[in-house]
Amino acid sequence: MASAKLTPLGLAVLELLHEKPMHPYEMASLMRERYVSTRVNVKAGSLYHTVERLQRSGFLEVVDTQRDGRRPERTVYGMTQSGLDEFNQRGRELLGDLADEFPAYLSGLAVIDELGKETSLLELEHRITRLRAAVAADQAVLERLAEDRTPPIYWLDWQFKCDQRKFELEWTVRLHEDLKSGRIPFQDCEQPKLTLITEEDDDERKTS
């Protein structure tokens, strides 16, 4: 059964603490450096809240406090055995179980016929432009990781995201071509015509 306690951000925190105890500021820096935001919504406020919640749940404990000059004191956290057990359990679930996911793009695809050909083709062109820019940016990151000789096992999540985005670009380009050429025809459904109710109509209904 999936854990109700360990969120994706909580899992990312415990993932870092496998390396060593650290304070939240260091966690945030490493998450930015490792592009954790591709799979987790990382914000400073939510990170500190998550760390506090993990501590209350017994998954983290304070192992040290540090002070650097006049800067505020920083609390260093380490993972407990309970946290390790929870991490392993949730990690196995995420890796092995199938979960229903609901990408927003699917809802957009579902209403293409209702939007009509002109609007749909225009919006798909916008999406293709944005996807091409994202794929180019992904490639630059992948090249840097390869140059740094970062072991591939540490960026499997990033590789999956890049491949997924590349597939979406290729698929969307084909869809645009199929819709534009008519290989996938629009059904030309007539839009319901909206009419204003006039005072005469209202009076007629009242007397009928």
Side-chain angles (χ1 to χ4, degrees), residues 117 121 124-125 173-186:
K117 186 171 184 176
L121 290 177
L124 286 173
E125 288 166 7
V173 168
R174 288 198 304 270
L175 173 64
H176 182 273
E177 292 173 351
D178 288 343
L179 292 172
K180 186 175 182 179
S181 67
R183 284 191 295 269
I184 297 179
F186 284 80

Side-chain angles (χ1 to χ4, degrees), residues 31-191:
M31 286 181 181
R32 285 193 298 271
E33 181 181 328
R34 299 176 184 181
Y35 303 101
V36 173
S37 59
T38 61
R39 55 186 165 91
V40 178
N41 185 14
V42 181
K43 295 181 180 178
S46 58
L47 176 59
Y48 281 90
H49 175 74
T50 295
V51 168
E52 291 173 358
R53 186 171 53 79
L54 289 172
Q55 184 185 14
R56 290 196 303 270
S57 298
F59 299 154
L60 300 184
E61 62 183 358
V62 177
V63 297
D64 193 14
T65 54
Q66 298 175 351
R67 182 178 293 279
D68 184 7
R70 296 182 178 180
R71 293 181 177 178
E73 192 175 72
R74 290 176 175 171
T75 303
V76 179
Y77 296 89
M79 180 166 47
T80 64
Q81 183 61 49
S82 177
L84 178 60
D85 293 342
E86 183 71 11
F87 174 89
N88 289 334
Q89 175 63 26
R90 186 62 180 138
R92 292 178 64 176
E93 293 167 354
L94 290 170
L95 192 60
D97 293 352
L98 292 179
D100 290 328
E101 298 176 352
F102 305 96
Y105 190 25
L106 297 185
S107 295
L109 293 172
V111 300
I112 278 182
D113 196 46
E114 287 74 17
L115 290 176
K117 186 171 184 176
E118 183 178 352
T119 298
S120 295
L121 290 177
L122 179 62
E123 293 306 324
L124 286 173
E125 288 166 7
H126 291 165
R127 189 179 194 93
I128 288 169
T129 298
R130 294 170 182 135
L131 282 169
R132 281 179 174 151
V135 167
D138 291 345
Q139 187 59 38
V141 173
L142 290 174
E143 290 173 0
R144 199 201 77 180
L145 289 169
E147 291 172 359
D148 292 344
R149 296 184 178 181
T150 304
I153 199 167
Y154 291 136
W155 42 282
L156 291 175
D157 54 337
W158 179 255
Q159 181 70 66
F160 177 84
K161 184 68 175 180
C162 294
D163 289 345
Q164 185 181 52
R165 189 141 44 200
K166 189 182 298 183
F167 168 81
E168 183 182 330
L169 171 60
E170 294 169 353
W171 192 91
T172 302
V173 168
R174 288 198 304 270
L175 173 64
H176 182 273
E177 292 173 351
D178 288 343
L179 292 172
K180 186 175 182 179
S181 67
R183 284 191 295 269
I184 297 179
F186 284 80
Q187 297 304 297
D188 296 324
C189 297
E190 290 189 8
Q191 296 294 327

Side-chain angles (χ1 to χ4, degrees), residues 192-205:
K193 295 181 179 180
L194 300 178
T195 58
L196 294 175
I197 298 177
T198 65
E199 292 183 3
E200 293 179 359
D201 294 332
D202 194 40
D203 292 338
E204 184 178 342
R205 283 202 305 272

